[in-house]
Amino acid sequence: MLELVPGANMPLPDGAVTVRVSGPFDVSALVTGDGGKVRDDRDFVFYNQPSAPGARLTGDLLTVDPPRLRPGATRVTVVVSPADPGTPLGRLPAPTLHLSAPGGHRLARFTPHPPRQETVLLLAEIYRRGGGWKLRALGQGYADGLAGTARDFGVDVVDGGGTATAPPPAAPRPVSPARPGLSGDRDGLLGPVNSARAHAGRPPVSLDPRLTTAARAHAAAMADAGRLGVEGADGVSVYQRMTAAGYAYISVGEHLVSGPRTAAEFVEYCLGAQQPRRTLCDPVFTQAGFAQVRDDRSGDVYWTALWARPLTPGELTRTAAEVVGLTNTARARAGLPPLAVDPVLTRAAQAHSADMVARAFYSHTSPGGSRPWDRAAAAGSTRRTIGENIACGQRSPAEVVDGWMNSPGHRANILKPDFTHIGIGFAGGGPAATYWTQLFGA
């Protein structure tokens, strides 16, 4: 049985799987498409609406049969909240997810980091990738209660409990009220943001609930610590919160700000300095998530704004091709022949970037002890000579190649005459936001 960590992924077998979370918790599920929104309130599976096509809740046991989900459904997010809505999760033991295959065979277990002030956890998601289905461990906290979580996924929730659809057969159980000071776009930030982008000749961004989830968790962590920082007091970076919320990106930006009291003040701050203005108006970003949390001790307001362009196979291919092109341009200037793309080296490079994100390390040697030539051989490479460049934190192919070329050791790999082939890996997340790998072979 696998022990999963936040951000870990695993393939699922064919057929229905079961998720059990025992203890003083309520389990619920949200069925969504690629956009992260429910189609209507029937996609919310909880104690008063225990079934939807392909998903059924029986006590603490959620059964998901992916092929039987409604048309267009590509993700099922598993949510846990205290059975007593007035109890913070921090006062309860950390919920443990048990995943089983058809017939009861245990597949995996996941226990998230102990929650603190959160009242809801997005514990895991079952999602479609290509022709198969996978499970991703999340452990992402919400402080809004179940109603706030449901709203961010597009469920029309009436304040005080229940949904806006036909009344359920039994009276709905109460849900926790929204925590003061938390917002997705409840302060109306999207309008002023897109107005500023339009004035700069940039396309608008749209809100993504996963980015909102990550922004909310990070703003709350900063307010709890009483300081700004890419990492909260829990040591988790804003980028790790994005990954845990299930958002994969090819480009990312963020604003971590304290001081502004309104949406207008926040946008005014961003437009008043060169770097914040560049991020807010960057045409590469297509989606965003916003949150602000007040520190009740000091009265300071902490804002998190996340800007991103989602990762797609096409975007990953384009990014890798740009890195290869810039690398070969540097070689041409030195009178060297271009490197050819090797699919096996590409697989190994991509796996190493993803591993650095998943296990939050940055090294040529993995925590398990594998080194570049070991990973190349494991991927199936028979090349006699292997070299590797890695980098983290750079936001574009131009930035990462420029950094490598300004470092003697990395430059030597790029300009090594013996190398004939290359593979590129990229992954977003971890403490540093972006992780790049160049794997060379001869």
Side-chain angles (χ1 to χ4, degrees), residues 325-336 401 405 411 414-415:
L326 291 167
T327 299
N328 281 333
T329 296
R331 286 177 63 89
R333 291 191 185 118
L336 297 170
V401 174
M405 288 299 293
R411 179 186 177 92
I414 289 175
L415 300 183

Side-chain angles (χ1 to χ4, degrees), residues 38-424:
V38 299
R39 185 175 59 181
D40 56 44
D41 295 348
R42 289 171 293 179
D43 283 345
F44 185 22
V45 178
F46 67 119
Y47 38 77
N48 260 340
Q49 187 171 270
S51 65
R56 175 171 291 276
L57 181 63
T58 307
D60 62 0
L61 186 70
L62 175 69
T63 302
V64 179
D65 191 352
R68 296 182 179 274
L69 294 171
R70 56 126 173 121
T74 59
R75 184 181 293 116
V76 178
T77 302
V78 181
V79 181
V80 294
S81 55
D84 175 5
T87 303
L89 285 169
R91 296 182 185 175
L92 303 174
T96 297
L97 177 149
H98 296 270
L99 177 71
S100 299
H105 174 64
R106 293 186 178 183
L107 296 173
R109 179 171 60 191
F110 171 56
T111 303
H113 299 304
R116 302 175 70 181
Q117 78 274 19
E118 296 89 349
T119 56
V120 170
L121 277 181
L122 306 185
L123 196 55
E125 65 178 5
I126 293 169
Y127 65 102
R128 186 169 64 197
R129 177 60 55 87
W133 289 81
K134 293 186 174 184
L135 179 136
R136 178 184 290 114
L138 298 178
Q140 179 63 54
Y142 254 77
D144 269 33
L146 190 57
T149 307
R151 284 191 189 98
D152 279 347
F153 279 80
V155 178
D156 188 9
V157 178
V158 176
D159 288 339
T163 66
T165 55
R173 294 164 63 174
V175 297
S176 301
R179 175 179 171 179
L182 291 174
S183 71
D185 192 44
R186 284 178 286 232
D187 287 340
L189 192 56
L190 188 64
V193 162
N194 280 334
S195 177
R197 288 175 66 90
H199 185 73
R202 305 296 190 245
V205 293
S206 62
L207 289 177
D208 184 280
R210 295 163 296 176
L211 292 177
T212 299
T213 295
R216 176 177 291 111
H218 196 71
M222 291 192 298
D224 186 57
R227 60 176 175 81
L228 293 173
V230 173
E231 289 188 354
D234 55 5
V236 178
S237 76
V238 65
Y239 315 114
Q240 287 170 304
R241 298 184 199 281
M242 294 175 69
T243 302
Y247 193 94
Y249 56 81
I250 197 72
S251 299
V252 63
E254 81 285 339
H255 286 119
L256 309 176
V257 183
S258 67
R261 300 289 171 150
T262 66
E265 288 181 9
F266 177 83
V267 173
E268 182 181 3
Y269 158 79
C270 292
L271 294 177
Q274 183 177 5
Q275 184 56 51
R277 182 172 64 251
R278 183 182 300 121
T279 299
L280 186 148
C281 296
D282 194 330
V284 75
F285 300 135
T286 60
Q287 296 179 329
F290 311 121
Q292 54 102 347
V293 175
R294 182 185 302 277
D295 179 355
D296 293 332
R297 298 162 299 186
S298 66
D300 293 336
V301 178
Y302 290 86
W303 296 77
T304 298
L306 296 175
W307 316 88
R309 187 180 191 92
L311 176 68
T312 65
E315 291 281 2
L316 183 59
T317 298
R318 178 189 60 78
T319 298
E322 283 189 39
V323 174
V324 172
L326 291 167
T327 299
N328 281 333
T329 296
R331 286 177 63 89
R333 291 191 185 118
L336 297 170
L339 301 172
V341 174
D342 183 328
V344 175
L345 294 180
T346 298
R347 267 200 313 274
Q350 183 61 34
H352 188 54
S353 286
D355 191 32
M356 287 192 287
V357 167
R359 293 199 273 181
F361 74 97
Y362 176 65
S363 174
H364 293 289
T365 303
S366 76
S370 69
R371 292 183 289 181
W373 40 91
D374 301 319
R375 294 188 289 270
S381 176
T382 58
R383 301 197 179 278
R384 296 188 302 273
T385 304
I386 295 293
E388 183 179 79
N389 286 343
I390 59 174
C392 65
Q394 294 80 7
R395 302 299 177 93
S396 70
E399 186 178 340
V400 73
V401 174
D402 185 61
W404 281 327
M405 288 299 293
N406 285 309
S407 166
H410 298 94
R411 179 186 177 92
N413 269 341
I414 289 175
L415 300 183
K416 186 170 182 176
D418 293 346
F419 285 142
T420 57
H421 289 77
I422 189 172
I424 303 299

